[in-house]
Every structure is written in structure tokens, then in C-alpha cells.
Amino acid sequence: MPGYELWSDKERKEVNDVLATGILMRYGFDGPRKGIWKSKELEEAICKTFGCKYAQLTSSGTSALTTAISALGIGYGDEVITPTFTFVASFEAILNVGAVPVFVDVDDTLTLNPDAVKKAITSKTKAVMPVHMCGSMADMNALIAICKEHNLILIEDACQSIGATYKGKHAGTIGDAGTFSFDFVKTMTCAEGGAVMTNREDIFIKSDGYTDHGHDHKGADRGADLHPFIGYNYRISELHAAVGLAQIKRLPEFLAIQKKNHAQLKNILAQIPEISFRRIPDPAGDSCTFLSWFLPTEEITRAVVNEMKIQEILPGNFYWYDNNWHYIRKWDHLKNAVTLNSLHPDLKAQVIHHATKDFAASDAVMSRCISTAISLLWTEDQIKEKGNKMVALIKKVMSVQKVIA
Ligand SMILES: Cc1ncc(COP(=O)(O)O)c(C=O)c1O
């Protein structure tokens, strides 16, 4: 997810505008900032680019999630349904507000399995939070229908899928709220940053205040602002927003390259009949940050990963099943509810209960999946060489496995 790969004079120009005034904070200092409001400009660009009514920038994707969840009124005792395959930030944000993350299996879309979601609903369920992993989106129509039927909030963790769409609507703009991350390895970056997107004015007003100590931002004098509720400091800086402003203008260029490179690599890997590809509910909406593919068994997949390591072509290929950040199997800190602050004993017991359930259905998918990150810097020749090496390696492993069998 490499917006950083194409760093340019455009980003430098936007940052230099801010450096010229020296006003690095997004609020106040109206005179000295001489009309430079990078954060506001980026928020407007997000609304225009992705088609949502409101956007609130934050200091990270994690703080965007916490903000959205808080603004939606989710808290102690509430259950939030979320997938077993995500980044740890998704459950961190749920825990941050004292709610319970209820983990649910993923299917071959690598996102929430709608049937598993239905089965996980209890009287305490308040929200469903799909995570649009690796550049492409969950089965939104099915999830919207479930949320409508059970009167549940829908929050999209779209941190990894900037530019993905589902039936013409952008990731993060479909639910009650959605979030992006602009950290250094996202499709577009601010170095660090995030955004809450919503079409609901009430959620936007709450997000705006929550990310700045509850300020109501109604006047020009920060000291005179009222605080209708308690908030925190999840503000972005003008320097970070300046980088994002340059990057959002370049997003169509990034996405076009990503899609082209993804298609070329997919065509090469498709030569192997035993490989299947991730199911994408709306294929036209794939942002193509990763090419995710499956091998027939865990044994073969592990052998392929091992051979990639030996041939030194593993970097850029992710076997999430063994990854400490992205798949529940390795989240021991969560399974033991190890926190620095003390949790209410009931919450702690619930966290442990839900994190240690049987996720055999997710295991069956994730143990056979490899995701190849798509670089914007690859040339056609490099993709050909890379793809052909992968094909030869996979064929070699498959033939050895056949002999053993
Ligand atoms: C799915 C998902 N959610 C949330 C986040 C958190 O974003 P950040 O690193 O900006 O806090 C990430 C970051 O990798 C992510 O992949």
C-alpha cells in the first residue's frame, strides 16, 4: 500500500507552504497562518474524492476508529462484531471505549462471513465492524441487510482500502461511519494520520470535538470554546495534512498503476490451475493493493512460503496465518487480556472468552492464503521476472508434494 514509493516535489511543495508560515497546528492562529489551512483542505478533498458529506482528520487510523466508535455512542457492555483477520488496531479501538470485541470468522473474501455475523448477534450486540482488508471490500449488501434487520450500527474499518469501491460507493462511506489510515504504508500517506468519514452531521460534530478535547469549535477564540463533552487529543498536524493533500491529488495515478501491476501478476499466477484467488464481492471495486491467492492445502502453502524464503523472494509476500499483527491465532496478548490499565473483571472475562473461541473456519482460509503486495515501482519486465519465478517455484513445490502423496 505504497503511496510513499512515489514521494515527489508535490509533497515537498505542500509541506513547504506550512514551513513558510511556521503554523504547524490545524486550529487557531488565523492571522499568522496567512490563509494556509492544509487540514481543512484535505478534509474537503476527502469528501469530494470519496463522496461523503463529512470528514474529520485524526492523528492515526487507530484514533479515527476510537473516535468513530465513541461518536456512535458505543461503550461499556456493548458488543462489536469484528473479523479474526484484521490489524490489532481494530480491537484496540473497541477495547479503548470499554466495549467487547466479538470475533467472527472470515471467508474466502478475507472479510467478515455474513452468516457467521448473524450467528454471533446477541442482545448486547451494538455494532458490526467489517474490515476491508488488503485493498478490497466486504460483502456490504449482506452486512447492511443484517444491520438493518437487527438495528445495528455499521462501522467500516477501511484503513487498508483507500480507493476501493463497492457497487460504485467508496470504502468507508457506506456505513454510519468509516475510517482511513494514512500511516506510512497506506495507499496514500500523511506519514501518520487518519480520517473518520460519515454522512451523519451528528457523528461529524461529535468526531470534530472528540479529537480536540471536546472543543465545540464554534468561535475564533479557542480559549472561549465550550466543551459539551469530554474529548481527547487525536489531532493531526498541518505538516502531516500537507503531505496527505499532495497524495490525495495523486491517488488516481497510484490506483491506476496498482491495478495495472496487479492484473499483470494475476495473469501470470493464473497459469497454475491449483491456485485460486480471493473472492471479491464487487471485483470492479478492488483497489488492488495486494494480490491474495490460495493454495490447495496448508502443507503446500507452508512449503511454498519456505521455498520463497530459501530463494530470497519472500519479502513482499505475506503469510498472514503466521503473522503476529494481523491474524487472531498469534494475538496472545489479547487472548490473555494483557493490558496496562486494569480492566473491569467482567470485561476482561468477556475479552478472553471471545478471543479464545474456535476459529477453524478462518484457519481453513488463512492457512492457505498468501498476499503479494503490489508495488508502484515495478516495471513490466520486473513483474514478468517475479511472476515467472513464483510460478516455477510453486510448480516445483507442487511436484514434490505430489511425489510424497
Ligand atoms: C485494518 C487496519 N485498521 C486500522 C489500522 C490503524 O491505522 P494506524 O496505523 O494509522 O493507526 C491499520 C493500520 O495498519 C489497519 O491495517
Side-chain angles (χ1 to χ4, degrees):
M1 299 175 280
Y4 75 89
E5 287 184 331
L6 296 180
W7 184 254
S8 73
D9 280 348
K10 292 177 180 149
E11 285 78 3
R12 278 187 278 275
K13 192 248 159 222
E14 297 290 348
V15 172
N16 282 335
D17 287 350
V18 178
L19 292 176
T21 67
I23 304 303
L24 311 185
M25 185 180 180
R26 70 159 299 177
Y27 296 115
F29 302 93
D30 293 27
R33 70 169 59 244
K34 298 191 177 107
I36 304 287
W37 297 92
K38 297 298 180 189
S39 307
K40 278 191 192 173
E41 254 193 88
L42 179 52
E43 283 165 352
E44 282 162 21
I46 289 170
C47 292
K48 210 166 144 205
T49 307
F50 302 108
C52 57
K53 280 197 187 151
Y54 307 99
Q56 176 63 44
L57 284 171
T58 60
S59 52
S60 68
T62 311
S63 59
L65 282 169
T66 305
T67 300
I69 292 170
S70 298
L72 286 157
I74 297 162
Y76 180 70
D78 295 331
E79 293 180 353
V80 179
I81 291 177
T82 201
T84 51
F85 176 49
T86 177
F87 177 59
V88 290
S90 311
F91 70 73
E92 288 168 358
I94 296 168
L95 280 175
N96 218 358
V97 302
V100 180
V102 173
F103 295 95
V104 154
D105 280 318
V106 293
D107 56 23
D108 58 350
T109 66
L110 303 184
T111 61
L112 280 177
N113 176 336
D115 288 331
V117 170
K118 277 187 216 158
K119 286 186 192 134
I121 293 172
T122 71
S123 58
K124 290 185 181 159
T125 308
K126 185 92 180 252
V128 177
M129 189 166 92
V131 184
H132 305 309
M133 284 299 278
C134 303
S136 120
M137 292 178 64
D139 185 350
M140 291 305 283
N141 275 356
L143 296 176
I144 290 167
I146 293 170
C147 288
K148 277 204 176 128
E149 187 186 338
H150 296 272
N151 195 24
L152 301 174
I153 293 165
L154 181 60
I155 310 165
E156 294 172 78
D157 180 343
C159 288
Q160 284 201 7
S161 286
I162 299 169
T165 59
Y166 178 84
K167 304 202 189 292
K169 286 189 179 165
H170 272 277
T173 67
I174 298 174
D176 294 278
T179 60
F180 280 159
S181 161
F182 302 129
D183 74 21
F184 195 54
V185 290
K186 293 302 183 285
T187 308
M188 56 167 272
T189 184
C190 292
E192 296 288 357
V196 176
M197 289 163 291
T198 182
N199 293 310
R200 286 176 51 181
E201 190 184 16
D202 60 326
I203 300 307
F204 167 66
I205 291 171
K206 288 174 183 166
S207 300
D208 176 58
Y210 189 82
T211 51
D212 187 23
H213 302 293
H215 278 260
D216 67 357
H217 295 143
K218 283 202 172 139
D221 175 5
R222 273 178 74 72
D225 274 356
L226 297 179
H227 302 88
F229 50 81
I230 295 170
Y232 300 89
N233 178 3
Y234 292 149
R235 293 187 302 259
I236 196 164
S237 83
E238 283 287 274
L239 288 172
H240 292 88
V243 176
L245 194 54
Q247 291 254 304
I248 201 169
K249 291 174 191 161
R250 305 180 68 200
L251 191 60
E253 173 197 342
F254 297 168
L255 291 170
I257 300 171
Q258 223 163 241
K259 286 180 187 187
K260 183 169 83 51
N261 292 355
H262 181 280
Q264 196 191 338
L265 187 64
K266 187 173 180 185
N267 273 341
I268 299 174
L269 289 194
Q271 289 171 41
I272 300 185
E274 290 87 352
I275 285 186
S276 58
F277 294 96
R278 172 186 188 175
R279 181 166 60 85
I280 300 189
D282 177 8
D286 188 357
S287 78
C288 296
T289 51
F290 283 91
L291 176 64
S292 295
W293 42 287
F294 300 103
L295 287 156
T297 63
E298 175 180 344
E299 199 183 4
I300 294 171
T301 313
R302 283 194 179 280
V304 165
V305 169
N306 197 36
E307 188 63 28
M308 282 178 147
K309 216 180 277 172
I310 292 166
Q311 296 194 21
E312 296 179 354
I313 59 165
L314 191 59
N317 294 283
F318 295 88
Y319 185 48
W320 306 116
Y321 195 55
D322 280 350
N323 183 289
N324 290 343
W325 285 9
H326 286 284
Y327 185 54
I328 197 161
R329 202 165 80 91
K330 296 272 189 159
W331 294 340
D332 290 337
H333 60 330
L334 173 78
K335 291 180 188 183
N336 294 301
V338 183
T339 55
L340 296 184
N341 56 311
S342 61
L343 293 183
H344 187 286
D346 291 350
L347 176 59
K348 188 166 181 157
Q350 285 297 304
V351 169
I352 294 170
H353 167 70
H354 286 289
T356 54
K357 285 190 295 204
D358 174 20
F359 296 113
S362 298
D363 287 349
V365 172
M366 300 310 301
S367 62
R368 298 183 298 104
C369 177
I370 296 174
S371 296
T372 305
I374 303 298
S375 170
L376 303 185
L377 299 176
W378 289 341
T379 63
E380 277 187 27
D381 284 345
Q382 283 171 332
I383 298 173
K384 207 184 281 175
E385 191 190 331
K386 191 179 200 34
N388 288 342
K389 262 191 195 164
M390 286 164 78
V391 166
L393 177 155
I394 295 162
K395 280 185 177 162
K396 181 180 152 193
V397 170
M398 300 282 302
S399 64
V400 172
Q401 295 286 328
K402 269 181 199 148
V403 172
I404 295 170

